[in-house]
């Protein structure tokens, strides 16, 4: 231990290793700050590594290169229409930072992005029908060398305890985390410490001076950035805060995000907000009791515990999740032989045989038989499907307007969104309310500074990503908002530390 009781000294200490944490660490390390990334688990990247890595940072050089006519002004119109002006200061900080952040990141030889069409999630002024988000380019694993083994693999391989595929480059979230890791390593100022969970903050003279992590006392001369995910994997905190869904059904890596950083900051006087909120999504129940993020429906219909539809199944996943939270389950996706397997995208992919063998999917030759097997009245389910098939015939969903929004058609390849379900055998797939992480947490100012109960910044303490209360409140405006906003506020936090 050093003379002041520290095991090690850094300028910036970052807890967590998702996209926000890694962007913050790169900002610090590339500006000459001696930086530590502390990760609780043996692998880097958290849910960010599992993600599709769409990044919603508007008005940047990436959209300009793609010629999609995105602008900060259009994005402002869109966010304002969805969020009002309640979080205007954060919105403006986010918009002002996006172009600067992307320019900074792409200056690094390890980092390159490209625009990828994916519609914004709401019909509101300023929306771009093909979206404004972008993704990192795939990363050949050889570029990472032995560091590759540190990056959390895709969700299916990770849950099975398998590493990366030897034959494929790192893609999506893995590419993002891998690229940020390469860039941090190249600065020579970044130490990445896995299996080093932050357990507490050390406060000296009214300022956060360092952290306790993995049994060590680590000094942070400029500041501590908490970007260690939300509390989606804590069943106790979810139930205490009333977050619908379940810890077993969240998409976050098992056991990783249990709200440790939020709790440590609260002990240091931090205030919290939005604690009942998450980035919700429908999840297909899997044989092991976990869920698979299910989106992009191109067939089938979802019924509630009464056997009736309750929403447009093609809604953007967070909106569908919120409809589920307001309805009564259990929920089932009903589809038929026509769709040749799940008529949607699932992450991880589902194996029909395993789904059927486990009872997560049930199959029958007729709808009344299917209904009986899942405990629904046969006449109600048959009536729901008959009405739905009638809409397919007319080409109009008179109940929930499925297919009327560009988002609904994005996944159907131009085919109608309402397709008749009338080719036996019929399948009922159990659908649960899943999430991509909680989005409530530490209240911050637009520079990522954590606020106390009197709205005063706690000196030396910053938060970003799902550790912080999102400026988007209960709204998920478009693909890449969780990661884009995590990166933007982490970047701003480190700029503040440098001042
Ligand atoms: P995480 O990325 O989960 O990182 C938190 C890290 O902190 C973890 O590694 C965890 O182990 C670590 N940690 C926890 N506690 C401690 C502690 N005490 N000390 C140290 N470390 C700790 N969002 C998008 O924006 N775009 C997308 O395209 C997208 N696609 C998605 C696709 C899938 C399949 C999933 C599952 C999610 C997707 N999301 C997407 C959502 C997004 O990935 C997450 O909401 C976001 O990445 C969360 O970032 P985070 O940094 O807050 O948490």
């Amino acid at each position: 231990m050093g003379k002041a009781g520290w095991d090690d000294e850094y300028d910036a200490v970052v807890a967590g290793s998702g996209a926000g944490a890694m962007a913050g660490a790169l900002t610090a390390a590339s500006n000459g700050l001696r930086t530590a990334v502390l990760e609780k688990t043996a692998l880097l990247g958290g849910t960010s590594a599992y993600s599709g890595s769409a990044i919603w940072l508007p008005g940047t050089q990436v959209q300009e290169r793609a010629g999609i006519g995105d602008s900060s002004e259009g994005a402002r119109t869109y966010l304002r229409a969805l969020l009002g002006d309640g979080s205007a200061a954060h919105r403006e900080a986010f918009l002002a930072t996006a172009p600067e952040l992307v320019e900074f990141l792409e200056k690094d030889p390890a980092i390159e992005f490209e625009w990828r069409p994916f519609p914004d999630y709401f019909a509101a002024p300023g929306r771009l029908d093909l979206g404004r988000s972008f993704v990192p380019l795939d990363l050949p694993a050889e570029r990472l060398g032995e560091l590759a083994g540190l990056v959390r693999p895709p969700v299916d391989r990770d849950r099975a305890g398998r590493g990366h595929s030897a034959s494929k480059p790192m893609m999506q979230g893995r590419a993002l985390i891998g690229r940020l890791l390469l860039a941090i390593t190249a600065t020579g100022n970044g130490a990445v410490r896995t299996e080093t969970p932050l357990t507490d903050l050390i406060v000296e003279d009214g300022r956060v001076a360092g952290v306790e992590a993995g049994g060590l006392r680590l000094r942070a001369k400029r500041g501590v950035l908490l970007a260690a995910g939300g509390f989606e994997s804590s069943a106790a905190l979810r139930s205490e805060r009333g977050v619908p869904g379940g810890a077993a059904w969240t998409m976050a890596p098992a056991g990783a995000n249990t709200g440790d950083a939020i709790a440590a900051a609260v002990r240091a006087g931090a205030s919290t907000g939005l604690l009942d909120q998450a980035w919700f999504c429908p999840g297909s129940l899997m044989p092991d009791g976990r869920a698979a993020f299910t989106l992009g429906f191109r067939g089938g219909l979802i019924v509630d515990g009464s056997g009736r539809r309750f929403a447009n199944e093609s809604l953007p996943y967070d909106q569908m999740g919120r409809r589920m939270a307001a309805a009564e389950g259990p929920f089932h996706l009903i589809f038929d032989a026509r769709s040749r397997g799940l008529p949607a995208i699932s992450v991880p992919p589902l194996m029909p045989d395993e789904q059927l063998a486990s009872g997560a999917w049930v199959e029958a030759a007729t709808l009344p038989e299917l209904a009986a097997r899942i405990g629904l009245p046969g006449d109600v389910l048959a009536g729901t499907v008959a009405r739905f098939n009638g809409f397919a015939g007319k080409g109009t969903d008179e109940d929930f307007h499925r297919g009327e929004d560009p988002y609904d058609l994005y996944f159907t390849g131009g085919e109608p969104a309402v397709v008749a379900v009338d080719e036996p055998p019929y399948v009922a797939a159990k659908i649960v309310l899943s999430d991509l992480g909680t989005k409530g947490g530490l209240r911050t100012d637009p520079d990522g500074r954590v606020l106390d109960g009197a709205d005063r910044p706690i000196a030396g303490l910053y938060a970003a990503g799902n550790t912080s209360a999102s400026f988007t409140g209960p709204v998920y405006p478009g693909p890449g908002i969780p990661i884009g906003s995590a990166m933007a506020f982490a970047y701003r936090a480190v700029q503040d530390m440098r001042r």
Side-chain angles (χ1 to χ4, degrees):
M1 199 173 277
K3 53 182 186 289
W6 300 108
D7 292 294
D8 226 327
E9 296 200 350
Y10 298 95
D11 296 310
V13 167
V14 179
S17 63
M22 297 294 272
L26 176 60
T27 309
S30 73
N31 281 292
L33 302 192
R34 200 164 168 255
T35 303
V37 174
L38 311 179
E39 165 56 44
K40 176 178 179 174
T41 67
L43 295 169
L44 301 175
T47 319
S48 305
Y50 287 169
S51 80
S53 71
I55 303 175
W56 206 93
L57 287 170
T60 78
Q61 59 197 34
V62 181
Q63 295 93 354
E64 197 177 308
R65 284 201 299 269
I68 64 157
D70 183 35
S71 69
S72 306
E73 189 51 44
R76 176 179 294 111
T77 303
Y78 182 64
L79 290 177
R80 199 174 199 174
L82 297 182
L83 310 175
D85 279 327
S87 57
H90 285 79
R91 180 192 71 216
E92 292 307 315
F94 173 71
L95 292 172
T97 302
E100 180 185 324
L101 166 61
V102 172
E103 189 184 344
F104 160 74
L105 291 171
E106 285 200 323
K107 264 196 195 131
D108 195 294
I111 301 178
E112 196 175 344
F113 301 113
E114 71 182 4
W115 173 73
R116 185 71 53 84
F118 198 155
D120 284 332
Y121 292 167
F122 287 87
R127 176 196 216 179
L128 292 183
D129 285 349
L130 282 180
R132 41 177 48 101
S133 61
F134 55 81
V135 295
L137 300 191
D138 292 353
L139 175 66
E142 308 81 77
R143 275 189 70 188
L144 271 168
E146 59 189 30
L147 292 175
L150 281 180
V151 178
R152 191 172 284 282
V155 60
D156 52 334
R157 300 185 70 92
D158 196 32
R159 286 187 186 175
R162 285 153 60 207
H164 296 273
S165 157
S167 60
K168 285 192 187 151
M170 292 208 181
M171 296 161 79
Q172 303 181 341
R174 282 74 64 201
L176 180 62
I177 298 301
R179 287 181 176 282
L180 288 165
L181 177 60
L182 261 185
I184 291 168
T185 307
T187 65
N189 287 324
V192 174
R193 306 175 80 136
T194 54
E195 297 181 291
T196 310
L198 172 127
T199 47
D200 219 344
L201 297 170
I202 298 171
V203 181
E204 284 179 353
D205 304 325
R207 171 184 179 85
V208 172
V211 303
E212 284 182 14
L216 302 172
R217 286 168 57 87
L218 305 175
R219 186 175 183 199
K221 287 193 256 179
R222 300 287 188 112
V224 172
L225 170 60
L226 302 176
F231 57 91
E232 54 271 15
S233 294
S234 165
L237 285 174
R238 289 183 79 111
S239 108
E240 190 181 314
R241 297 302 178 175
V243 182
W249 297 335
T250 184
M251 289 302 299
N257 296 341
T258 49
D260 316 342
I262 298 172
V266 167
R267 288 194 294 277
S271 61
T272 54
L274 282 181
L275 288 178
D276 59 348
Q277 292 296 321
W279 312 99
F280 292 109
C281 61
S284 294
L285 193 67
M286 296 186 72
D288 63 0
R290 304 207 62 188
F293 174 20
T294 305
L295 72 162
F297 291 89
R298 55 190 155 66
L301 63 149
I302 300 183
V303 297
D304 64 12
S306 76
R308 295 177 178 85
R309 290 177 76 211
F310 57 97
N312 163 11
E313 297 81 354
S314 300
L315 276 173
Y317 46 88
D318 177 70
Q319 293 170 54
M320 187 58 183
R322 287 169 192 277
R323 299 292 197 286
M324 289 173 67
E328 280 287 328
F331 303 99
H332 290 92
L333 169 67
I334 311 293
F335 61 95
D336 64 358
R338 185 195 303 259
S339 62
R340 296 195 182 82
L342 187 82
I345 299 166
S346 81
V347 188
L350 303 175
M351 301 299 141
D353 291 350
E354 291 173 12
Q355 292 297 115
L356 286 164
S358 72
W361 287 9
V362 168
E363 198 178 54
T366 67
L367 286 168
E369 225 179 295
L370 188 76
R373 295 197 60 194
I374 56 174
L376 292 178
D379 56 338
V380 176
L381 185 66
T384 299
V385 174
R387 184 168 170 82
F388 180 81
N389 290 348
F391 295 156
K394 286 189 210 166
T396 309
D397 173 6
E398 289 168 11
D399 290 340
F400 299 105
H401 307 284
R402 181 172 174 182
E404 292 177 17
D405 188 274
Y407 182 91
D408 301 358
L409 298 173
Y410 175 70
F411 296 97
T412 67
E415 296 298 314
V418 180
V419 185
V421 173
D422 57 5
E423 282 186 17
Y426 298 99
V427 179
K430 284 190 179 139
I431 300 289
V432 294
L433 176 55
S434 180
D435 61 71
L436 313 179
T438 49
K439 66 185 306 199
L442 304 175
R443 292 178 55 249
T444 54
D445 76 3
D447 287 318
R449 300 188 297 176
V450 174
L451 300 174
D452 69 12
D455 277 355
R456 288 173 311 219
I458 298 175
L461 189 61
Y462 300 83
N466 292 346
T467 303
S468 60
S470 173
F471 84 99
T472 60
V475 181
Y476 195 148
I481 275 277
I483 288 179
S485 59
M487 291 170 74
F489 288 106
Y491 176 82
R492 291 184 69 87
V494 174
Q495 300 297 6
D496 192 79
M497 278 184 208
R498 294 176 58 219
R499 284 198 271 273

